[in-house]
């Protein structure tokens, strides 16, 4: 048996803060952000920058700048229709200095700080100014693929045989399970595909993970919580060959499964409960009903195709009525960002198209807003065909009370406002229980907006699906907005993308990286799959199995590939440094929700209640799971913001993992950490009469493993030192300090 890993620290008579700080610094992963190259010097354009440009910058320049400053009308010698032209500038000098917005004349002009003031017909909205500044600070990335910006018709667009031959547009097939030289290692068909690639590279898989590592990995993966000592002991005692399968089934049956995987879905759905702006902001005070619907649907193992249909068109499904239990699913669109100003409807359509197509199809369709997609076979006509569906849909509030109860509630609210003198609130939520939903409006087709400019229109496009995902000319939708027809074609087994995309996302959350490393981009600018046959094998099985996510989890987790140890290996690291061939399990850092929840769990203070209204994370008495925290687009909670919670204004396919000094300060000084440390210390002290046993108990709670003799002695040496400032109010005892250090370690924050 391999020896257990130890926490490498040295107890010396230091203050706990300095001690923990030194520990954190020594164990921290390096941050990429602080030593990145100057954006002005970088010629490469990332996928995120390209999408940012196409979604936010090109439409803005097209709508407000190019009429006067393009190749056709370069007033004052200034063109703003290419990066080179902007850097070169006009009569007054360079318009932008990439990476240095403060030195860019364009920024001065759009602030109306001096002459000239641009655009002359009215100042840009504050958020548009911020977008341009952000773009310049990024280095003014501008995709370089040639396009014809003067194209006025989708008739020039043509899908070639080469386009249709691209891997992600091919029909899903079920390849034969490959033969392998090693017949002992594979436990499932997944393993045969993985091992085949390893053997081709002359590599072998890693040893199996020990049982303590495995149950900790599985429990965090499926519930976002650590296993209890009792659960670990039961698994260790179960020597049957299907012991781990029973653990997986138990976890999949836990109500906390829906919370864990619901959070992954809400990242894609860019779930939020207010707006980034305060101007006529719509509040989603009962957006939690969508969040709770997602949890219940996942716990019920609703087939994924039905899960998708409900979120796009629950109100239009056969048999739906006002009492339809799936109506909260419409929050997928209904709780999204709201825009205002001259481009309100265009920006809102773009948000919904981007969320839907990147989230469900893995395609950057929003890049076709101003021109045919420069890389993928998606035309502007395709974009405006989908935009017509969105434009024929409107936000709606669905009451959950009778008309009489509504009247009583509205009268009471009017009386309260009159008595309080607080003010007219045009966007105040209704004073009765309700669902944030959408419904069909007057159906209308849109015309292509040339260069994204609503004043320069091309051909009218009927509502329909993407041409590349249609076997021939796509048929126009004919039922109202077309939402139900769109939902059906997206959730169809004939669609080659939907099943592949969700299978890849599930794989990513289990292994730390997808078989496709760009989970929201299956197009040409994304990465091809590392194991294309395995991806199709899983997608085929997923569809044939009734689109069951729980069955997919089970297949993945019972594989030998999933059950590998995360040990590093010098030789294999040289051959495959990024572990793309899956020769080991990836070590992963917990997201902020699982990290905070784990602290509440091991300290014995976690409130496991499911569902209900969101709560303020700043409330010291809030012991609910972080999943139930309020998510503000306007002012995100500092803890969430500090630990890499995604921007709820846009769909997100993954979390960044930064390491910055403020995180360490939070660990050392925050009330939450201190409260958790005190609770863990008290729990450990109650568990035994003497410190040696208490230390062992604390290790079992925090790390799911026994402390080594050396670690026990280190703990005793530290605990036996006198406590500094013992007479000060709220001073931490030695046990409190020790517990805080345990909660501050990388071993607590990372899962092997």
């Amino acid at each position: 048996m391999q020896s257990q890993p130890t926490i490498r620290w040295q107890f010396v008579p230091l203050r706990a803060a300095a001690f923990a700080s030194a520990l954190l610094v020594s164990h921290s992963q390096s941050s990429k952000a602080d030593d990145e190259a100057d954006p002005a010097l970088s010629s490469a354009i990332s996928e995120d920058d390209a999408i940012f440009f196409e979604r936010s910058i090109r439409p803005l320049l097209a709508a407000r700048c190019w009429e006067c400053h393009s190749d056709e009308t370069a007033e004052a010698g200034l063109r703003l229709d290419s990066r080179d032209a902007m850097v070169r500038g006009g009569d007054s000098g360079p318009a932008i200095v990439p990476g240095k917005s403060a030195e860019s004349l364009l920024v001065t002009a759009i602030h109306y700080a001096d002459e000239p003031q641009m655009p002359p017909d009215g100042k840009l909205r504050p958020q548009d100014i911020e977008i341009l500044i952000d773009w310049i600070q990024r280095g003014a990335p501008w995709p370089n693929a040639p396009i014809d910006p003067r194209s006025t018709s989708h008739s020039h667009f043509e899908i070639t045989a080469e386009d249709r031959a691209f891997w992600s547009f091919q029909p899903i097939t079920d390849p034969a399970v490959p033969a392998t030289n090693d017949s002992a290692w594979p436990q499932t068909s997944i393993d045969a595909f993985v091992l085949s690639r390893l053997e081709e590279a002359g590599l072998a898989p890693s040893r199996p993970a020990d049982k303590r590592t495995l149950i900790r990995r599985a429990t965090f993966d499926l519930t976002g919580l650590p296993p209890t000592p009792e659960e670990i002991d039961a698994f260790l005692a179960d020597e049957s060959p299907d012991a781990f399968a029973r653990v997986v089934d138990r976890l999949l049956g836990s109500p906390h499964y829906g919370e864990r995987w619901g959070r992954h879905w809400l990242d894609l759905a860019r779930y939020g409960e207010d707006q980034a702006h305060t101007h006529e902001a719509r509040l989603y005070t009962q957006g939690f009903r969508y969040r709770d619907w997602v949890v219940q649907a996942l716990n019920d193992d609703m087939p994924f195709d039905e899960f998708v249909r409900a979120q796009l068109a629950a109100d239009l499904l056969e048999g739906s009525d006002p009492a339809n239990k799936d109506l909260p699913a419409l929050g997928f669109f209904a709780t999204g960002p709201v825009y205002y100003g001259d481009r309100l409807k265009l920006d809102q359509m773009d948000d919904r198209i981007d969320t839907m197509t990147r989230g469900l199809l893995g395609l950057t369709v929003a890049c076709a807003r101003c021109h045919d997609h420069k890389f993928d076979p998606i035309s502007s006509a395709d974009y405006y065909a989908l935009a017509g569906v969105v434009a024929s849909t409107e936000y709606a509030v669905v009451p959950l009370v009778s008309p009489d109860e509504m009247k009583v509630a509205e009268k009471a609210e009017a009386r309260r406002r009159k008595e309080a003198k607080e003010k007219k609130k045009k966007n105040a939520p209704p004073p009765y229980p309700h669902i944030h939903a959408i419904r069909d409006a007057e159906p209308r087709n849109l015309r292509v907006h040339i260069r994204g400019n609503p004043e320069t229109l091309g051909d009218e496009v009927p509502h329909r699906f993407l041409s590349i995902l249609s076997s021939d000319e796509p048929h126009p939708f004919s039922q109202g907005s077309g939402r139900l027809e769109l939902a059906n074609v997206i959730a169809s087994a004939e669609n080659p993308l939907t099943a592949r995309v969700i299978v890849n996302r599930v794989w990513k959350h289990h292994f730390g990286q997808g078989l496709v490393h760009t989970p929201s981009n299956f197009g040409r600018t994304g990465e091809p799959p590392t194991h294309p046959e395995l991806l199709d094998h899983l997608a085929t099985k997923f569809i044939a199995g009734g689109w069951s996510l729980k069955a997919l989890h089970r297949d993945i987790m019972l594989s030998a590939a999933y059950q590998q140890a995360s040990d590093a290996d010098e030789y294999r690291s040289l051959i495959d440094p990024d572990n793309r061939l899956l020769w080991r399990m990836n070590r992963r850092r917990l997201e902020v929700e699982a990290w905070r929840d784990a602290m509440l769990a091991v300290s014995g203070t976690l409130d496991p209640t499911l569902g209900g209204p969101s709560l303020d994370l700043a409330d010291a008495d809030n012991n609910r799971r972080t999943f139930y925290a309020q998510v503000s687009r306007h002012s995100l909670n500092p803890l969430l913001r500090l630990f890499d919670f995604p921007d709820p204004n846009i769909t997100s396919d993954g979390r960044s993992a930064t390491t910055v000094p403020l995180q360490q300060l939070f660990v050392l000084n925050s009330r939450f950490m201190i409260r958790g440390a005190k609770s863990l210390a008290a729990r450990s002290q109650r568990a035994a009469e003497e410190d040696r046993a208490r230390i062992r108990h604390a290790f079992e709670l925090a790390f799911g493993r026994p402390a080594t003799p050396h670690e026990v002695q280190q703990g005793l040496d530290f605990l036996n030192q006198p406590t500094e400032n013992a007479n000060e109010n709220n001073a931490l005892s030695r046990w409190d300090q020790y517990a805080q250090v345990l909660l501050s370690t990388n071993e607590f924050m990372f899962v092997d």
Side-chain angles (χ1 to χ4, degrees):
M1 178 181 289
Q2 295 220 352
S3 61
Q4 293 287 353
T6 60
I7 303 175
R8 293 177 175 84
W9 60 45
Q10 182 176 5
F11 283 100
V12 291
L14 298 172
R15 293 191 59 185
F19 163 65
S21 179
L23 178 75
L24 285 167
V25 170
S26 68
H27 282 270
S28 291
Q29 291 185 328
S30 60
S31 171
K32 297 192 302 184
D34 292 339
D35 6 290
E36 287 276 315
D38 184 335
L41 303 178
S42 175
S43 59
I45 296 179
S46 69
E47 178 195 354
D48 286 345
D49 281 345
I51 291 172
F52 171 66
F53 178 85
E54 299 298 350
R55 286 197 65 211
S56 302
I57 301 301
R58 192 186 294 274
L60 178 58
L61 295 175
R64 301 302 304 273
C65 304
W66 287 353
E67 183 177 355
C68 300
H69 298 283
S70 67
D71 58 344
E72 297 173 349
T73 56
E75 292 188 9
L78 176 63
R79 288 176 53 185
L80 300 177
D81 55 355
S82 80
R83 184 181 189 275
D84 289 344
M86 297 176 83
V87 171
R88 190 167 55 247
D91 297 346
S92 301
I96 62 170
V97 180
K100 300 178 180 179
S101 60
E103 300 176 19
S104 299
L105 293 178
L106 179 64
V107 174
T108 302
I110 62 178
H111 273 118
Y112 277 36
D114 200 355
E115 295 292 340
Q117 296 179 343
M118 295 173 56
D121 59 346
K123 189 176 180 180
L124 295 177
R125 301 176 301 172
Q127 62 265 41
D128 289 336
I129 293 174
E130 291 176 9
I131 285 171
L132 281 171
I133 291 173
D134 183 18
W135 175 65
I136 295 171
Q137 285 299 114
R138 292 185 186 206
W142 192 302
N144 292 323
I147 61 167
D148 178 7
R150 291 162 292 190
S151 174
T152 61
S153 171
H154 63 275
S155 61
H156 300 110
F157 179 80
E158 180 181 359
I159 296 177
T160 67
E162 181 185 4
D163 291 329
R164 293 201 178 275
F166 188 69
W167 74 266
S168 66
F169 302 132
Q170 289 289 298
I172 296 172
T173 59
D174 191 12
V177 177
T180 59
N181 296 327
D182 179 357
S183 59
W185 185 75
Q187 296 184 29
T188 70
S189 57
I190 289 173
D191 298 323
F193 287 98
V194 172
L195 185 57
S196 174
R197 290 295 312 278
L198 287 171
E199 290 180 343
E200 287 175 8
L203 298 177
S206 296
R207 67 175 178 87
D210 63 79
K211 293 184 78 171
R212 287 182 180 273
T213 297
L214 197 55
I215 190 172
R216 181 174 169 84
R217 177 189 300 168
T219 308
F220 270 114
D221 270 11
L222 290 181
T223 69
L225 295 169
T228 65
E230 295 76 18
E231 291 168 343
I232 295 173
D233 290 342
F235 181 47
L236 294 176
D238 188 346
E239 297 181 356
S240 63
D242 59 348
F244 185 59
R246 281 202 284 268
V247 168
V248 171
D249 289 340
R250 172 177 59 80
L251 295 171
L252 287 171
S254 166
H256 299 305
Y257 160 77
E259 295 171 323
R260 174 62 161 164
W261 285 83
R263 183 60 259 174
H264 295 325
W265 184 259
L266 293 186
D267 285 4
L268 290 171
R270 43 70 175 122
Y271 174 78
E273 297 168 336
D274 62 6
Q275 305 304 328
H277 54 81
T278 56
H279 179 75
E280 297 187 1
R282 180 189 297 157
L283 301 178
Y284 301 123
T285 57
Q286 300 194 32
F288 69 88
R289 299 186 189 280
Y290 169 63
R291 181 201 64 206
D292 290 353
W293 178 88
V294 169
V295 172
Q296 191 61 54
L298 292 175
N299 280 336
D300 291 343
D301 200 21
M302 174 184 281
F304 185 74
D305 56 344
E306 295 180 19
F307 184 72
V308 169
R309 287 189 186 94
Q311 292 179 82
L312 299 181
D315 57 322
L316 303 176
L317 293 172
E318 185 177 353
S320 63
D321 56 57
N324 184 351
K325 66 179 179 62
D326 290 328
L327 281 181
L330 297 172
F332 179 75
F333 276 160
T335 60
V338 172
Y339 298 85
Y340 68 95
D342 54 347
R343 295 192 299 142
L344 179 154
K345 292 184 178 179
L346 296 177
D347 288 346
Q348 186 153 304
M349 286 190 301
D350 195 70
D351 161 72
R352 292 182 177 181
I353 291 171
D354 189 54
T355 300
M356 175 179 66
T357 57
R358 287 176 67 193
L360 302 179
L361 301 173
L363 291 178
T364 56
V365 174
C367 291
R369 175 175 174 176
C370 300
H371 52 76
D372 295 342
H373 201 294
K374 297 190 299 299
F375 304 103
D376 297 332
I378 301 168
S379 66
S380 282
D382 284 327
Y383 176 90
Y384 285 98
L386 295 180
V389 175
V390 177
S392 302
T393 304
E394 63 185 10
Y395 173 77
V397 170
V398 178
L400 293 177
V401 296
S402 68
D404 290 342
E405 290 172 311
M406 284 174 54
K407 291 178 182 177
V408 170
E410 287 169 346
K411 287 181 179 178
E413 176 67 8
R415 194 162 51 246
R416 185 192 66 78
R417 288 186 183 177
K418 183 176 181 181
E419 291 171 354
K421 295 183 180 179
E422 302 299 17
K423 298 176 181 178
K424 186 177 182 181
K425 298 181 180 179
K426 289 192 291 184
N427 290 284
Y432 45 79
H434 58 276
I435 294 170
H436 303 284
I438 55 174
R439 64 188 174 201
D440 275 8
E442 185 67 28
R444 62 191 183 101
N445 293 333
L446 294 183
R447 295 170 66 184
V448 172
H449 293 24
I450 300 170
R451 296 185 177 183
N453 188 346
E455 304 300 321
T456 309
L457 300 176
D459 295 346
E460 182 178 291
V461 189
H463 305 172
R464 58 167 176 77
F465 197 39
L466 301 176
S467 301
I468 188 61
L469 296 180
S470 305
S471 57
D472 47 26
E473 188 67 23
H475 298 294
F477 297 150
S478 59
Q479 303 171 17
S481 68
R483 257 190 310 126
L484 180 57
E485 293 160 285
L486 177 60
N488 285 333
V489 73
I490 287 178
S492 168
E494 302 301 314
N495 182 339
L497 284 173
T498 305
R500 281 183 178 133
V501 168
I502 189 59
V503 163
N504 186 64
R505 293 195 192 282
V506 173
W507 185 277
K508 173 184 182 295
H509 287 302
H510 282 304
F511 282 86
Q513 59 188 18
L515 297 170
V516 178
H517 283 218
T518 51
S520 288
N521 187 355
F522 277 38
R524 290 189 182 276
T525 59
E527 293 197 29
T530 56
H531 299 71
E533 294 84 5
L534 174 56
L535 180 62
D536 269 19
H537 174 69
L538 289 171
T540 301
K541 223 177 157 184
F542 179 60
I543 295 172
W547 300 76
S548 167
L549 287 172
K550 289 190 176 183
L552 176 61
H553 289 299
R554 200 174 192 278
D555 282 348
I556 290 173
M557 297 176 72
L558 295 186
S559 69
Y562 176 83
Q563 296 177 42
Q564 293 180 98
S566 60
D567 302 339
D569 177 90
E570 185 175 357
Y571 173 74
R572 284 178 282 196
S573 294
L574 286 173
I575 301 297
D576 181 23
D578 295 328
N579 191 29
R580 293 187 173 228
L581 297 180
L582 303 170
W583 52 267
R584 65 180 176 91
M585 175 52 78
N586 293 301
R587 192 172 190 239
R588 290 166 287 153
R589 193 172 92 172
L590 293 176
E591 303 97 325
V592 60
E593 298 96 325
W595 182 60
R596 178 182 176 273
D597 294 351
M599 276 189 270
L600 292 172
V602 302
S603 65
T605 59
L606 178 68
D607 177 356
T609 306
L610 271 69
S614 300
L615 300 175
D616 186 354
L617 208 57
D619 184 350
D621 296 323
N622 182 0
N623 289 334
R624 296 286 305 281
R625 293 198 68 171
T626 317
F627 180 72
Y628 298 109
Q630 293 170 348
V631 178
S632 171
R633 296 187 174 103
H634 179 66
S635 181
L636 189 64
N637 177 270
L639 171 64
L640 300 181
R641 186 171 61 247
L642 182 59
F643 287 94
D644 306 313
F645 191 85
D647 181 356
N649 290 286
I650 56 175
T651 180
S652 174
D653 61 17
R655 303 283 182 94
S656 57
T658 62
T659 302
V660 296
L662 284 177
Q663 293 171 348
Q664 298 170 21
L665 291 174
F666 176 89
V667 167
L668 295 174
N669 301 317
S670 72
R671 287 187 302 166
F672 175 76
M673 286 294 301
I674 291 173
R675 190 163 60 99
K678 285 177 175 288
S679 297
L680 175 58
R683 186 179 185 186
S684 299
Q685 288 173 302
R686 289 193 302 268
E689 293 297 324
E690 50 94 24
D691 283 343
R692 188 177 300 271
R694 291 168 174 171
I695 290 170
R696 294 194 183 101
H697 182 72
F699 264 71
E700 290 281 358
L701 287 172
F703 308 132
R705 67 172 179 85
T708 65
H710 180 60
E711 288 167 336
V712 172
Q713 189 57 52
Q714 282 182 311
L716 291 172
D717 291 345
F718 180 76
L719 292 170
N720 289 332
Q721 295 176 16
T723 304
E724 296 181 15
N725 304 319
N727 294 325
E728 291 184 7
N729 292 332
N730 299 320
L732 296 180
S733 70
R734 273 286 160 180
W735 252 106
D736 295 339
Q737 294 176 24
Y738 182 73
Q740 185 177 10
V741 168
L742 294 183
L743 296 177
S744 303
T745 60
N746 269 10
E747 184 171 358
F748 187 80
M749 179 176 266
F750 283 78
V751 174
D752 285 319

